[in-house]
Amino acid sequence: MNQEKQKIVLAFSGGLDTSVAAHWLRDQRGYEVHCLTIDLGNLGDLDGIRSRGEEAGAASVEIIDAKDTFIRYFIWPALQAGVVYEGRYPLATALGRPLIAKMLVDKAREIGATAVAHGCTGKGNDQVRLDVGVQTLAPDLNIVGTTREHSVSRDEALTYAAKYGITVRQTAASPYSTDENLWGRSVEAGVLEDPWLEPPEDVFEWTKPLNETPSTAREINIRFEKGVPVALDGEEFSPTEIVQQLSDQGGQHGIGRIDMVENRLVGIKSREIYEAPAALILLEAHQALEDLTLTKAQSRFKNTASQEYADLVYNGLWFSAHHRDLAAYVVSTQRHVTGDVKVRLWHGSVTVMGRRADRSLYSPELATYNKEGDLFDQSQAGGFIRLHGLPAQVQAQRQSLTGSDGDLLRLAAPENE
Ligand code: ARG
């Protein structure tokens, strides 16, 4: 037994790269390596992961099921906040990383490790999220980025694995780089690097192509309490079951495919494909319920906060005071976001068919066009509109909007001749 050996906790996926990393950290860097795999959903073959860690010479391999924690403390707050990066990406991968960082730190503390390691590339966002998470929670721990420090090609990794008897997963090597958890699946690289090229069908694993979706629609009633889904079609389910069911049903109906070019934190534009059926369904339904329960001012301001929130998650600042403050605001906005939303899943789209809230701000007595029961006093409208239009009227008179500046038709498009 070598007393001097420092312990390191490696974020371990069981794939080729982290298996090689485990061996390399032990052999080349002299660490006692402890592999930690966090199951955030869709992890697959747990026994295979364990045995590959052992083959790579890890002193221990631990797999933790963190699905429920992930949903309660990461997914639900993100749903309540309505976070979507650059208008499209529901942030599945980005939301998973701070939890992985936290669990790496917990494990390091438990066994007295002096460092943690991950196999993220040096060009992506994931390294930022893990590093900043660890740096924030445990500034004393060293962070080793095996891939970015010691870049190996796939062939080199395969040769290395063969040399040291590390089994490579039997599946045909995917031409893509993927990441999966309950909230979504991210796919990049390979032919996807050409943004003009239509994604080949083999990119998708969770969602059916439109020509294979059922001809009959599926309607689901989703019950929310304080902005969190609690029941489907009147039946209560655990958070994991709700997300899993909506993911399966949405996928069957071809819902959740996202193809975008996004701006990474490290300054690169990248083409990304996502599959996120449950996220798209829940975000749409949640928004419909907020439409009934928040005032115009609350909705407008929440939208602004939501973009700030999405950037913060994307950029790896989950464990920041700015996040805590924004989250407190979001939680406060959800006090009355309780009610039901009927959604229809059909041919690739999710459509809200109806919504009702326990404390809805929608007032039929004010909205109705029927004379009977109408409580809106139309005689007040004229005066209100005169005052509303007053500044525009005064400005037009004093600063001659209609004067030498010419043609009013061309007001917004002076050059479109
Ligand atoms: N671009 C996405 C993000 O930054 C997805 C990253 C996918 N990660 C991966 N290891 N393939 O969140």
Side-chain angles (χ1 to χ4, degrees), residues 89 93-94 125-126 129 177-179 186 188 262 272 274 314:
Y89 167 39
T93 297
N125 298 309
D126 289 330
R129 299 165 184 149
S177 161
T178 60
D179 179 71
S186 306
E188 43 188 40
E262 75 190 31
E272 309 272 339
Y274 299 107
Y314 189 84

Side-chain angles (χ1 to χ4, degrees), residues 13-14 42-52 63 169-170:
S13 72
N42 299 83
L43 207 55
D45 170 24
L46 301 186
D47 290 338
I49 292 174
R50 198 180 299 282
S51 64
R52 280 188 295 277
I63 302 173
R169 227 186 302 201
Q170 290 309 306

Side-chain angles (χ1 to χ4, degrees), residues 85 89 91-95 97 120-121 124-126 129 176-180 185-189 262-265 270-274 313-314:
Y85 185 64
Y89 167 39
L91 290 163
T93 297
L95 287 162
R97 294 303 186 258
C120 304
T121 81
N125 298 309
D126 289 330
R129 299 165 184 149
Y176 311 109
S177 161
T178 60
D179 179 71
E180 290 186 26
R185 182 168 175 270
S186 306
V187 193
E188 43 188 40
E262 75 190 31
N263 295 294
R264 285 192 193 162
L265 179 63
S270 69
R271 201 277 187 90
E272 309 272 339
I273 302 293
Y274 299 107
V313 172
Y314 189 84

Side-chain angles (χ1 to χ4, degrees), residues 321-336:
H322 186 37
H323 179 202
R324 172 177 291 215
D325 297 340
L326 278 180
Y329 163 73
V330 170
V331 167
S332 177
T333 63
Q334 301 298 292
R335 299 192 298 289
H336 304 299

Side-chain angles (χ1 to χ4, degrees), residues 89-229:
Y89 167 39
L91 290 163
T93 297
L95 287 162
R97 294 303 186 258
L99 177 53
I100 294 174
K102 157 121 186 18
M103 297 184 100
L104 287 173
V105 168
D106 288 348
K107 178 79 185 174
R109 294 304 190 218
E110 181 194 318
I111 62 169
T114 54
V116 298
H118 61 69
C120 304
T121 81
K123 296 178 84 168
N125 298 309
D126 289 330
Q127 54 166 349
V128 180
R129 299 165 184 149
L130 287 180
D131 284 15
V132 174
V134 171
Q135 175 188 354
T136 313
L137 299 173
D140 57 299
L141 289 179
N142 287 321
I143 304 169
V144 181
T146 56
T147 304
R148 77 184 165 208
E149 280 175 30
H150 182 78
S151 127
V152 274
S153 69
R154 195 177 165 81
D155 284 345
E156 285 166 338
L158 284 168
T159 313
Y160 190 103
K163 184 167 164 199
Y164 293 105
I166 301 166
T167 316
V168 176
R169 227 186 302 201
Q170 290 309 306
T171 54
S174 164
Y176 311 109
S177 161
T178 60
D179 179 71
E180 290 186 26
N181 63 44
L182 282 162
W183 203 228
R185 182 168 175 270
S186 306
V187 193
E188 43 188 40
V191 291
L192 299 174
E193 285 175 4
D194 178 354
W196 175 247
L197 210 90
E198 183 180 336
E201 200 47 43
D202 72 354
V203 163
F204 302 101
E205 286 186 6
W206 291 12
T207 55
K208 284 213 164 130
L210 286 187
N211 59 3
E212 287 175 26
T213 55
S215 53
T216 37
R218 174 83 165 86
E219 283 197 8
I220 307 179
N221 179 329
I222 307 173
R223 169 85 186 164
F224 287 87
E225 267 164 31
K226 296 190 176 166
V228 166

